[in-house]
Amino acid sequence: MSQPATHKLGQFTVGRMGYGAMQLAGPGVFGPPRDLAECIAVLREAVESGVNHIDTSDFYGPEVTNKLIREALAPYPDGLVLVTKVGARRGSDAAWIMTPEPSALVEQVHGNLRNLGLETLDVVNLRIGHAFGPDDTSLAERFGALRDLQQQGKIRHIGLSNVTAAQIAEARAIGEVACVQNAYNLVQRSDDALIDMLGADGIPYVPFFPLGGFSPLQSEALNALAARLGVSAMQLALAWLLHRAPNILLIPGTSSRVHLRENLAATDIALCAEDMAALDAIGAPAT
């Protein structure tokens, strides 16, 4: 089963295997990295390997990953798409604090511009909900604040993160939604119908925690199939996502060049219909 290598993200065409910068920050996504030189090397090797979609945010660190990206990659190569997020900040105790106030979002956009060294952000994802899940609040005022910045030329495209189908519909009634970034992986499958709906409209879906996040995927069936195919379980979980739907864009993160190479190699894994059926069954609800 061959899969498309690229997909549209707003006005851009990006590779479906991107890179997420969250793990470049210190433990708990807070503070400086353990190995600054390795983090710089990871970013440079990712781009040299053809990655042209990097996901980041000023609330990683805070401000750590954006400054690392600027140090490693500026002046940015043509075709590199930097996607950031607003809607949260970090407390002095490393707490994740949601910031739904439009004024806070505006301030965060300007902070991302400053720390990345840009005049315009390619894509800004509006983070909704609480730290680890969506809620059902209206996003109209917040989305409108980003639309104002878009009209001022500070943002090219607006995406959504941690949202429900109803919130996506609410945003699309106001303006274009470039992408949706929600939690999704082999075993966390609540967005199955949403992915297909977005795909029908050409909107990319970007799963965060594609390998389970802070609780890595654990499955005997996954391990067994990976061993049979001669790949790692995490590579197989990424390959499943690439085969799951053509509008899925991946942003697995790492602070290690060895791990980066393993992630990128997942694009070369071919899965037959029997393999996909076996993997689909891992996340299927019990009957």
Side-chain angles (χ1 to χ4, degrees), residues 189-198 244:
R189 303 276 299 277
S190 59
D191 272 0
D192 272 336
L194 179 61
I195 290 169
D196 296 336
M197 181 195 77
L198 293 172
R244 165 63 183 82

Side-chain angles (χ1 to χ4, degrees), residues 125-143:
N125 285 330
L126 173 60
R127 176 79 177 191
I128 301 295
H130 47 82
F132 296 104
D135 60 25
D136 58 359
T137 60
S138 170
L139 53 67
E141 188 177 19
R142 288 169 281 182
F143 194 84

Side-chain angles (χ1 to χ4, degrees), residues 269-284:
I269 299 173
L271 299 176
C272 67
E274 183 180 354
D275 297 330
M276 285 298 292
L279 291 166
D280 287 342
I282 294 173

Side-chain angles (χ1 to χ4, degrees), residues 2-59:
S2 61
Q3 297 298 312
T6 63
H7 196 280
K8 296 293 288 186
L9 176 53
Q11 72 194 67
F12 309 106
T13 298
V14 298
R16 293 183 61 214
M17 179 65 79
Y19 172 77
M22 185 176 76
Q23 292 188 35
L24 296 180
V29 201
F30 195 75
R34 292 188 178 98
D35 187 336
L36 174 61
E38 180 68 5
C39 289
I40 295 292
V42 165
L43 285 164
R44 290 176 176 167
E45 182 164 323
V47 173
E48 290 165 1
S49 299
V51 169
N52 69 341
H53 170 202
I54 294 179
D55 180 84
T56 186
S57 176
D58 251 3
F59 56 72

Side-chain angles (χ1 to χ4, degrees), residues 149-165:
L149 291 170
Q150 186 180 40
Q151 292 166 357
Q152 295 169 27
K154 301 298 183 183
I155 300 171
R156 290 190 176 90
H157 298 284
I158 303 169
L160 300 173
S161 178
N162 207 35
V163 287
T164 65

